[in-house]
Amino acid sequence: MSMKHTFVALCLCALFYLIPTQAQAKTCALALSSNDAMKFDQSELRVAADCTEVKLTLKHAGSMPADFMGHNWVLTKTADVEAVANAGAKLPAASDHVPKGDARVLANTKVIGGGESTSITFSTKALKKGGDYSFFCSFPGHWAMMKGKLVFG
């Protein structure tokens, strides 16, 4: 086999191994809006089972500042919502009202004020098809009204 044929064969082998890896990675985009009336514009978000990561964009459509009517987006198992929200409510604004390093928090954005937006990208590895997941705003007092379901699968 000539040097040229060897090179072509190696390139084809490399391509064969790279294509499946790239085809398996899939980022799915979600967008959610919040407002000064302490509401998200959606009560359910859906993520397809073939998504390997999610890019979530949160927009605050209101006009009030973050220190008074700030909003974030926190994802946990539904059973953990109240405990995580209460723990976050006791934390200072600089923490975005999310307990740092808490394994119950699957993903979260920073707190934003009126007219602002923020995005995060997170892996779906911790999500199980058919699992029970909820999202909420952990700004003190908001989680009871600002919450919804995340459906994976």
Side-chain angles (χ1 to χ4, degrees):
M1 190 185 273
S2 72
M3 184 91 134
K4 182 178 179 182
H5 287 114
T6 303
F7 177 75
V8 170
L10 287 172
C11 287
L12 288 173
C13 285
L15 188 59
F16 176 77
Y17 285 107
L18 289 176
I19 288 174
T21 303
Q22 291 173 346
Q24 290 176 348
K26 182 178 178 185
T27 302
C28 298
L30 296 175
L32 188 67
S33 185
S34 59
N35 61 34
D36 289 338
M38 294 188 346
K39 292 187 180 192
F40 287 123
D41 68 341
Q42 298 172 69
S43 61
E44 182 177 281
L45 298 174
R46 292 189 165 271
V47 177
D50 64 341
C51 298
T52 56
E53 61 182 19
V54 174
K55 179 177 181 183
L56 177 115
T57 301
L58 173 66
K59 180 180 179 183
H60 191 318
S63 59
M64 295 184 184
D67 61 347
F68 181 70
M69 189 55 71
H71 300 311
N72 65 354
W73 183 89
V74 180
L75 177 65
T76 66
K77 290 180 179 176
T78 299
D80 295 329
V81 169
E82 187 172 352
V84 172
N86 286 333
K90 297 173 186 172
L91 297 172
S95 71
D96 291 311
H97 302 291
V98 176
K100 186 176 180 164
D102 190 325
R104 298 172 298 182
V105 177
L106 303 174
N108 68 280
T109 67
K110 66 181 187 172
V111 171
I112 56 172
E116 297 179 323
S117 66
T118 187
S119 293
I120 57 161
T121 300
F122 62 94
S123 171
T124 60
K125 286 181 183 179
L127 304 178
K128 304 293 181 231
K129 189 175 179 180
D132 191 10
Y133 304 104
S134 291
F135 62 87
F136 60 96
C137 174
S138 67
F139 193 89
H142 291 196
W143 73 271
M145 292 179 62
M146 294 187 74
K147 59 187 172 184
K149 288 288 228 185
L150 183 124
V151 177
F152 181 69

